[in-house]
Amino acid sequence: KYKYMKVDNEKRRGVSYHRRVCEINLIYNRWAKTGLSNREIWRRYIYPVYGISERTLYNILKKGCKDEIRDSSYFKKNP
């Protein structure tokens, strides 16, 4: 009867969302190696550009990004 009903509650995300997730992960990884705390990275480098909350940052960090998008040169080739 409900053959086409969506089973999971997860939303489908677009390419721009995945791109933003990868950019945020790259920024975080770059500054985490220097020893900055998560809050400092969020406050200095992520919030001013993306305007996301600290909680959203943690959710994005859990997601990670696709392997073909992980390389920062991908964004230069595919604007």
Side-chain angles (χ1 to χ4, degrees):
K1 186 175 178 181
Y2 297 105
K3 190 175 184 181
Y4 299 107
M5 196 167 127
K6 191 173 180 183
V7 176
D8 60 350
N9 291 330
E10 184 133 346
K11 295 179 182 177
R12 292 187 67 175
R13 304 286 186 178
V15 174
S16 62
Y17 174 78
H18 289 293
R19 180 178 176 166
R20 190 170 57 233
V21 167
C22 288
E23 289 173 351
I24 290 171
N25 272 294
L26 287 171
I27 292 169
Y28 176 81
N29 290 337
R30 180 183 313 141
W31 292 105
K33 292 175 187 173
T34 65
L36 281 176
S37 67
N38 293 348
R39 182 163 288 164
E40 277 299 307
I41 296 169
W42 169 75
R43 191 173 62 84
R44 290 184 190 178
Y45 305 106
I46 295 173
Y47 180 75
V49 177
Y50 297 99
I52 61 171
S53 69
E54 191 176 2
R55 182 72 191 153
T56 303
L57 169 66
Y58 293 128
N59 289 333
I60 286 175
L61 292 176
K62 285 194 309 186
K63 296 213 183 290
C65 63
K66 298 177 184 175
D67 290 334
E68 67 269 10
I69 298 179
R70 191 177 304 266
D71 184 23
S72 61
S73 64
Y74 174 86
F75 299 119
K76 294 174 184 159
K77 292 184 275 185
N78 304 307

